[in-house]
């Protein structure tokens, strides 16, 4: 019948709400992990920041270690960060870093800068970062020194995130994301496809 909208399938709203709640919990845990040592963070603190109850965190993630195993993984972030053809990947990655901070308040890479806070858990963070981000990027590159070039490209992105999210550079923060991506992307791209990037 025309003009009549189909109601959502049963359970659709509940699933959507559950995903939003999980995302809020992960965002809260990331926020705390960037400011406090792992051992000092409690589920209650995460719950308060996320606006949920501690038992709800247990329901969705199991326990604190399981929750922070998710937070310390870069897999999902790397999926989005590397989701572009190699020829345009530098611009895509620069844009993604800035857009993530502006739109979600979460940088896909920046938590690696806080690894020294977390003792043995910092080693887990470093290992995940290497295998899930830099080594995965290196595997997509051709030519010599792929590992070094991947680390230099990612270093440029971490620096961009630091300037935006920690140093809060006013010029960077007030400039359009697309304009920054146009200017910063070639710097990253020069490591990904040397000789092919503009000015390479």
């Amino acid at each position: 019948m025309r003009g009549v909208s189909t109601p959502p399938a049963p359970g659709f709203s509940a699933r959507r709400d559950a995903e939003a709640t999980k995302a809020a919990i992960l965002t809260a845990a990331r926020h705390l992990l960037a400011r406090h040592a792992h051992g000092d963070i409690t589920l209650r603190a995460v719950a308060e920041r996320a606006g949920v109850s501690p038992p709800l965190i247990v329901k969705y993630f199991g326990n604190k270690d399981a929750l922070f195993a998710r937070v310390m993984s870069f897999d999902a972030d790397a999926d989005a960060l590397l989701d572009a053809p190699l020829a345009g990947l530098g611009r895509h990655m620069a844009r993604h870093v800035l857009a993530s901070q502006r739109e979600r308040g979460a940088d896909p890479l920046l938590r690696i800068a806080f690894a020294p806070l977390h003792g043995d858990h910092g080693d887990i963070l470093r290992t995940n970062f290497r295998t899930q981000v830099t080594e995965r990027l290196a595997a997509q590159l051709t030519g010599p020194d792929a590992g070094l070039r991947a680390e230099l490209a990612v270093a440029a992105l971490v620096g961009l995130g630091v300037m935006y999210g920690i140093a809060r550079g006013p010029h960077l923060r007030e400039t359009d994301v697309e304009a920054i991506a146009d200017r910063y992307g070639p710097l990253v791209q020069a490591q990904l496809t040397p000789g092919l990037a503009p000015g390479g």
Side-chain angles (χ1 to χ4, degrees):
M1 182 175 174
R2 297 178 63 184
V4 177
S5 60
T6 303
F12 175 80
S13 180
R15 287 196 301 273
R16 183 183 60 198
D17 290 346
E19 290 306 311
T21 299
K22 290 178 185 177
I25 292 168
L26 289 169
T27 298
R30 278 188 177 191
H31 176 90
L32 293 170
L33 193 70
R35 290 157 179 82
H36 306 281
H38 175 273
D40 295 336
I41 303 170
T42 64
L43 282 184
R44 181 172 296 281
V46 176
E48 287 177 357
R49 178 154 192 91
V52 301
S53 66
L56 194 59
I57 297 179
V58 173
K59 173 185 175 182
Y60 287 140
F61 295 98
N63 56 35
K64 176 183 169 180
D65 287 342
L67 170 62
F68 280 95
R70 285 279 301 274
V71 173
M72 290 184 179
S73 173
F74 292 89
D75 263 339
D77 291 303
D79 286 345
L81 185 72
L82 303 178
D83 186 23
L86 183 58
L89 187 56
R91 186 188 189 284
H92 167 80
M93 290 196 295
R95 186 193 183 285
H96 181 67
V97 165
L98 290 181
S100 294
Q101 288 222 30
R102 286 194 181 181
E103 296 166 11
R104 298 189 295 114
D107 189 289
L109 302 174
L110 196 53
R111 60 194 181 281
I112 189 58
F114 302 98
L117 280 175
H118 305 301
D120 291 342
H121 287 90
D123 292 336
I124 296 171
L125 202 59
R126 292 184 189 95
T127 298
N128 288 347
F129 188 78
R130 284 194 300 269
T131 60
Q132 297 167 359
V133 180
T134 56
E135 291 176 9
R136 182 173 165 187
L137 175 59
Q140 297 185 22
L141 307 183
T142 59
D145 301 319
L148 174 61
R149 287 159 41 215
E151 288 182 357
L152 290 171
V154 172
L157 297 170
V158 172
L160 181 62
V162 167
M163 181 55 71
Y164 187 94
I166 297 178
R168 295 183 174 269
H171 302 288
L172 181 59
R173 293 174 73 88
E174 69 189 15
T175 302
D176 180 70
V177 167
E178 304 299 335
I180 296 298
D182 286 342
R183 297 180 70 163
Y184 207 78
L187 182 153
V188 179
Q189 191 69 36
Q191 298 301 327
L192 306 180
T193 51
L196 299 179

